[in-house]
Amino acid sequence: MMKPLCLDILLQVTEVDQLKLQKRRHNDYLKHFLYDTLPPNLRFKFNNRKRTLTTLEEADDREWEAPKPKLKISKKQHKPVCPLPPPDLPPKFKQHILEEMGGTGLVLVIQKTIFYSDVNPTANRFSIPFSQVKTHDFLNEVEAKELAHKTPMQMCLLDPSLKQTSITFNKWVMGNTSLYVLTNTWNSVVKNNQLEKGDMVQLWSFQVNSLLCFALFKL
């Protein structure tokens, strides 16, 4: 009784081996057909495990693709960062305006980085873009109307060396952009104070005997 059972088991093992051999031969033939007999641009790679077909060109493209960075989702909630207030005028500068010149109503008009156009001698002007102006309240109603009618105003400017000079203050409208400008004697201010591209400056306004004045401070 044991011999027929053993023979039956042996036959089943033989059948499994034959199936595996046929499968291996089939895969070898498929690889030969897909890789050797087709043109290079249509050749395929055969993946025995996943049983997927991919062209060699597609495989090369994926090989040269940069790995996509994994996005890390932080569970921490970041608190909004409040911008730091601009620095105030140094005591010496403020004392000169308030005590020696009798100025009142100090207002920061703008804090900006000097661009090449601000120190270009052929331009001879310092731009004060509306988009960077801290407030327009330094102008009274009469001054605002004069500038609106394109009437230049002669102002007193206190430069970084605490030297007073007369300068022209005007408003320009260029397309959809509006800006204030200091012109006329601006080149001398640049030269006397060695202003350069990249310098950070502040322009303050104040009144002396109800007349508008400016103070330029280099940070």
Side-chain angles (χ1 to χ4, degrees):
M1 295 298 292
M2 293 298 294
K3 290 183 178 179
L5 179 61
C6 294
L7 180 61
D8 185 51
I9 294 175
L10 181 61
L11 290 175
Q12 291 181 5
V13 172
T14 304
E15 290 179 359
V16 172
D17 291 339
Q18 289 178 351
L19 288 175
K20 289 183 178 179
L21 180 60
Q22 291 177 0
K23 183 177 179 182
R24 188 180 301 111
R25 289 177 178 175
H26 175 73
N27 289 344
D28 292 340
Y29 171 78
L30 188 60
K31 289 180 182 180
H32 170 73
F33 173 77
L34 292 176
Y35 189 83
D36 295 332
T37 62
L38 292 178
N41 62 329
L42 294 178
R43 290 178 181 175
F44 287 82
K45 284 184 177 180
F46 184 79
N47 191 324
N48 288 329
R49 294 182 179 180
K50 297 183 180 179
R51 299 189 179 277
T52 57
L53 301 178
T54 57
T55 64
L56 293 181
E57 289 182 352
E58 291 175 353
D60 290 341
D61 290 341
R62 284 199 294 268
E63 183 179 359
W64 286 98
E65 286 179 356
K68 296 181 180 180
K70 296 182 180 179
L71 298 177
K72 295 182 180 180
I73 302 176
S74 177
K75 297 182 179 180
K76 296 181 180 180
Q77 295 182 353
H78 298 283
K79 297 181 179 180
V81 179
C82 298
L84 296 175
D88 199 1
L89 281 171
K92 181 180 179 180
F93 215 93
K94 184 181 293 186
Q95 182 180 2
H96 184 86
I97 294 174
L98 300 180
E99 298 182 6
E100 298 187 26
M101 296 183 65
T104 58
L106 270 170
V107 176
L108 177 61
V109 178
I110 189 173
Q111 176 175 310
K112 62 167 284 188
T113 301
I114 289 184
F115 291 93
Y116 172 73
S117 59
D118 293 315
V119 292
N120 182 6
T122 58
N124 190 23
R125 63 110 175 99
F126 176 74
S127 65
I128 310 169
F130 274 24
S131 60
Q132 300 182 46
V133 171
K134 301 294 183 182
T135 178
H136 296 269
D137 293 341
F138 66 93
L139 295 173
N140 59 35
E141 186 176 352
V142 176
E143 294 164 345
K145 287 184 179 179
E146 288 184 0
L147 294 175
H149 290 86
K150 300 180 181 180
T151 303
M153 302 171 57
Q154 289 302 123
M155 315 288 295
C156 173
L157 175 68
L158 181 67
D159 68 17
S161 64
L162 298 180
K163 179 182 178 181
Q164 298 181 42
T165 183
S166 177
I167 200 165
T168 303
F169 180 58
N170 205 350
K171 176 184 176 182
W172 289 355
V173 178
M174 306 173 65
N176 296 327
T177 304
S178 298
L179 66 156
Y180 300 121
V181 288
L182 297 177
T183 62
N184 194 15
T185 58
W186 173 250
N187 277 347
S188 62
V189 176
V190 172
K191 182 179 180 181
N192 295 336
N193 295 274
Q194 300 179 347
L195 298 179
E196 299 178 350
K197 175 185 173 182
D199 289 342
M200 181 70 69
V201 296
Q202 290 181 341
L203 185 70
W204 293 73
S205 71
F206 59 97
Q207 290 82 34
V208 176
N209 297 326
S210 299
L211 297 178
L212 184 63
C213 299
F214 287 125
L216 184 72
F217 174 65
K218 181 179 176 180
L219 296 175

